[in-house]
Amino acid sequence: MSKPAPRRALPQPRRANALRRPIAKGVSAALVTALASGLGVYGFSQATSASATAPTPVTLTPLVVAPTPVKAVTDGYALASAEVVARQDALETVRKEISAEAARLDSLGRFFFPAVGAIGSPFGMRFHPILHIWRLHDGVDIGADCNSPIWASLSGTVIEAQRGSSSGNYVKIDHGIVNGHKLVSAYLHMNKILVQKGDVVARGQQIGLVGSTGLSTSCHLHLAVYQDGKGTDPARFLTKG
Ligand SMILES: [Zn+2]
């Protein structure tokens, strides 16, 4: 009988396991820490342990959604539109004030100075520069540039707009009764007439261009005023305060 060979003792893994286990545990612990830290860094979760060395968790800031451009533009248009309306209202108010003031000045018979220039030859007897005789100068001469505007001194109705041999191109306006007197004004020597007989004109409305037509030596506006049918000094009305 032979005795069975004694079993050779198998190598015990205990030692190896004993060596590996702590390493495995260490790796695992390190991995957990790393994962926890990493996840914390990327903001997917809070670190589970508040260790002194753990990085400060960063929380992602939610994306702020800006107002849509369309709404911004719409709001802009609304603001601009409101401003335009406000300005139109303000202009309309000013227009009404000017209109009311023009009506008030009309009622006072206060003339709108009819051309840009100073009064040269006054109303009264004078030695006529062309005719070389003494006679009444029945108006005032306003030294104004050729083709500069001529404005109606008061509102009224155009009763004459034509060419005369000595008056040249002229316009006559009936202002009706002003301060108890019938007033008519006339504008002579125009280069061009811009209104017609029958037209209703406003105080300050342009009625022609300065010229030197008719009995005239140079461009100027001869303004005549008839009160109750009689020629009177226009300066009275031009300077009326
Ligand atoms: Zn004159």
Side-chain angles (χ1 to χ4, degrees):
M1 294 238 338
S2 60
K3 287 183 180 176
R7 283 192 177 179
R8 189 180 168 192
L10 290 171
Q12 294 299 316
R14 179 180 295 259
R15 183 175 172 77
N17 285 345
L19 283 173
R20 285 181 187 132
R21 193 165 291 126
I23 294 171
K25 276 184 181 171
V27 168
S28 178
L31 183 60
V32 167
T33 303
L35 281 173
S37 301
L39 291 176
V41 165
Y42 288 105
F44 295 111
S45 70
Q46 295 287 336
T48 51
S49 66
S51 85
T53 55
T56 306
V58 175
T59 305
L60 284 179
T61 306
L63 180 65
V64 176
V65 180
T68 61
V70 172
K71 187 175 185 308
V73 170
T74 305
D75 289 350
Y77 281 148
L79 284 172
S81 180
E83 192 172 338
V84 167
V85 169
R87 289 188 183 186
Q88 282 175 335
D89 287 349
L91 284 174
E92 179 60 15
T93 301
V94 170
R95 192 193 66 75
K96 284 178 180 171
E97 287 172 355
I98 290 172
S99 186
E101 178 65 2
R104 190 183 72 83
L105 295 174
D106 255 343
S107 71
L108 292 173
R110 191 169 180 179
F111 276 30
F112 186 90
F113 206 91
V116 177
I119 294 177
S121 186
F123 177 91
M125 293 300 291
R126 72 167 182 183
F127 191 73
H128 198 276
I130 296 175
L131 301 176
H132 295 123
I133 54 168
W134 282 91
R135 74 169 194 176
L136 178 68
H137 181 226
D138 68 344
V140 292
D141 290 337
I142 298 171
D145 291 341
C146 298
N147 294 314
S148 58
I150 297 170
W151 300 290
S153 282
L154 291 176
S155 62
T157 304
V158 176
I159 51 174
E160 291 178 37
Q162 59 197 48
R163 186 181 185 96
S165 57
S166 62
S167 302
N169 297 317
Y170 74 98
V171 168
K172 205 174 259 191
I173 301 173
D174 183 352
H175 305 297
I177 304 298
V178 180
N179 281 338
H181 297 282
K182 181 175 174 58
L183 275 191
V184 171
S185 61
Y187 312 78
L188 280 57
H189 311 302
M190 290 184 179
N191 192 26
K192 191 176 183 183
I193 296 172
L194 298 176
V195 291
Q196 295 180 340
K197 184 179 178 180
D199 284 354
V200 173
V201 296
R203 180 181 187 276
Q205 180 179 330
Q206 189 175 353
I207 56 173
L209 303 178
V210 171
S212 185
T213 56
L215 212 57
S216 169
T217 53
S218 63
C219 283
H220 74 284
L221 170 64
H222 175 99
L223 172 68
V225 175
Y226 304 93
Q227 184 174 280
D228 298 324
K230 185 182 175 189
T232 188
D233 187 359
R236 285 175 48 207
F237 300 91
L238 292 171
T239 58
K240 188 173 179 179

